[in-house]
Amino acid sequence: HPAICDRGDALWELDRFESAIDAWDLALEHPFLAKERYQRQEIWYKRGLALINLERYEEAFFSHHHHYSHYPKLENPDDERIQLELQDADGWFSWGYFFICVELGHYNYREAAVLMQKAIALDPKHRSALSFCAYVMLKLKRYAKAVDYYERALAIEVADDEAIETAEEWHNLAIAQMKLGHYEAAISSYDRALAVNPDDPQTLTNRGNALRYTGRYDEAIAAYDLVISLKPTYQPVYYD
């Protein structure tokens, strides 16, 4: 019955994860949902999030993959394939990236952070996990942690054909530094981003803002003027 699903959702919002799971399990047994494939998938997905918060990771992994048609079907939480996945940093990373955040259009950053940290615990040099964990921390407004993870990721060299990706990382590092009031450090990070992608209007504008916050007004104006000359239609520069 839909009311059972709603009860589970309400309990989830209150962080009453055990009770939410009990409600969703009742809903999954209800004949009403037998043919409601999409709604069943949503329940299995939310159930998995609750289990992550309870640190019941094998059950959570099973719940997230159980009704996803593009993944080999798992029969139960004791399936040996789950154990194999969770022994490897890539398994935790793929789970957090694909199921919790970007690829499936969900943005459950709290749970993604947990899984990224699990990946990093297994492989402290897992660059993708470090970078994505930094991004998640930025979204969660945990700026000091975002700085730490971005710095750790950026300390690891990348191939030349992947260098453009570091521009976004340097840019996001600078945003976190700005939030912490570390404006000089942010300027340096924006400079590193611009060394890779020199004409990016957002980075140039934000660098101008950092210069303005440090009282370097002439340099800030010059930065804004450069953005206008490169991309006159970039509206944010006119507001700064």
Side-chain angles (χ1 to χ4, degrees):
H1 194 281
I4 306 174
C5 301
D6 292 343
R7 174 175 169 76
D9 293 349
L11 290 163
W12 158 260
E13 293 294 334
L14 295 170
D15 288 349
R16 293 173 58 184
F17 303 119
E18 291 274 12
S19 298
I21 292 166
D22 289 343
W24 288 325
D25 285 346
L26 280 175
L28 288 168
E29 294 172 2
H30 200 285
F32 172 82
L33 287 179
K35 296 182 180 180
E36 299 291 331
R37 181 173 176 271
Y38 176 76
Q39 193 167 2
R40 288 179 64 85
Q41 286 180 328
E42 283 296 301
I43 293 172
W44 279 102
Y45 178 80
K46 291 183 286 190
R47 186 179 182 277
L49 295 178
L51 287 162
I52 288 171
N53 282 281
L54 294 170
E55 300 183 9
R56 289 159 56 181
Y57 298 115
E58 289 84 0
E59 294 173 77
F61 190 95
F62 170 75
S63 193
H64 277 163
H65 290 71
H66 184 62
H67 272 281
Y68 183 58
S69 60
H70 297 289
Y71 194 87
K73 186 172 177 62
L74 299 169
E75 297 301 330
N76 59 68
D78 297 321
D79 192 303
E80 64 180 10
R81 288 172 293 176
I82 297 177
Q83 294 298 326
L84 289 173
E85 287 281 349
L86 300 187
Q87 289 173 8
D88 182 69
D90 284 337
W92 289 96
F93 171 76
S94 297
W95 180 14
Y97 185 86
F98 190 76
F99 282 89
I100 309 300
C101 273
V102 178
E103 291 295 329
L104 291 184
H106 300 288
Y107 300 97
N108 296 288
Y109 297 117
R110 176 177 63 177
E111 290 75 25
V114 172
L115 302 188
M116 290 301 119
Q117 289 170 321
K118 287 287 186 180
I120 294 164
L122 286 170
D123 181 3
K125 299 291 186 180
H126 195 297
R127 197 184 187 289
S128 295
L130 287 165
S131 180
F132 192 62
C133 192
Y135 172 78
V136 167
M137 293 300 177
L138 188 62
K139 290 294 185 181
L140 291 170
K141 300 182 180 181
R142 300 176 187 172
Y143 301 120
K145 286 187 175 294
V147 168
D148 176 57
Y149 282 114
Y150 271 127
E151 287 179 342
R152 290 168 63 182
L154 287 161
I156 301 170
E157 292 187 10
V158 298
D160 290 343
D161 60 351
E162 298 175 353
I164 191 64
E165 296 177 10
T166 66
E168 182 178 358
E169 292 170 338
W170 283 111
H171 178 268
N172 286 345
L173 170 59
I175 290 173
Q177 290 166 330
M178 291 273 285
K179 293 292 187 180
L180 294 169
H182 302 164
Y183 301 122
E184 293 292 349
I187 292 168
S188 295
S189 296
Y190 284 131
D191 287 342
R192 295 293 296 270
L194 291 167
V196 180
N197 189 13
D199 296 334
D200 182 67
Q202 185 181 16
T203 303
L204 287 165
T205 300
N206 288 349
R207 182 178 181 276
N209 294 339
L211 289 163
R212 178 161 54 88
Y213 294 149
T214 59
R216 294 154 64 178
Y217 301 115
D218 290 342
E219 292 178 74
I221 291 169
Y224 298 143
D225 287 343
L226 178 58
V227 175
I228 293 168
S229 68
L230 290 170
K231 192 170 183 180
T233 58
Y234 185 70
Q235 292 298 313
V237 73
Y238 297 103
Y239 307 135
D240 294 316

